[in-house]
Amino acid sequence: MLRLFFQIYLLPILTPRVAIAILNWNGQSFLQQFLPFVVAGTYTNKEIIVIDNASTDNSIAYLQEHFPSVRIIRNSSNLGFANGYNEGLKQVEADYFVLLNSDVEVTAGWI
């Protein structure tokens, strides 16, 4: 009974749902270099999302092959920085949102 109480009431408070959103436009090289550090993070209640601004490189294929756990949201055109995030985030539900540039190397325990 105590375990159920913990799972239902305390766990969401102690580990809120975090969406880590990365905006991408033709950034396969950045994804190759920096996304592994994000994926390796130990925070358990997270969703990693790449919002793609209509890339013409192989970003999407690379993500699908190497990071199938990463959610991909595709914008129909390059909407720029703010609009790209705004459109993509309309499809995401979380307690907290981390907007992470694709060229950032995170370190252990960053979240």
Side-chain angles (χ1 to χ4, degrees):
M1 185 67 102
L2 186 58
R3 184 177 194 177
L4 183 61
F5 176 81
F6 178 79
Q7 289 176 331
I8 293 173
Y9 297 105
L10 294 181
L11 192 58
I13 295 169
L14 298 175
T15 56
R17 181 84 169 146
V18 175
I20 303 166
I22 301 168
L23 188 66
N24 179 65
W25 182 73
N26 291 339
Q28 180 182 349
S29 63
F30 289 137
L31 296 171
Q32 288 173 313
Q33 186 174 356
F34 299 109
L35 188 57
F37 297 102
V38 178
V39 172
T42 57
Y43 188 82
T44 56
N45 197 10
K46 69 178 184 273
E47 179 181 27
I48 302 168
I49 303 143
V50 171
I51 302 170
D52 188 75
N53 253 346
S55 292
T56 56
D57 66 355
N58 290 320
S59 295
I60 299 297
Y62 173 79
L63 289 169
Q64 291 170 331
E65 181 179 345
H66 297 281
F67 296 100
S69 65
V70 171
R71 180 176 168 195
I72 302 167
I73 296 174
R74 297 181 191 191
N75 289 331
S76 58
S77 61
N78 185 349
L79 302 175
F81 186 80
N83 284 335
Y85 268 122
N86 287 338
E87 283 304 307
L89 292 175
K90 288 178 183 178
Q91 301 176 49
V92 178
E93 290 187 29
D95 297 311
Y96 295 99
F97 296 84
V98 175
L99 307 184
L100 188 66
N101 283 3
S102 60
D103 61 349
V104 172
E105 181 177 331
V106 298
T107 57
W110 73 281
I111 190 171

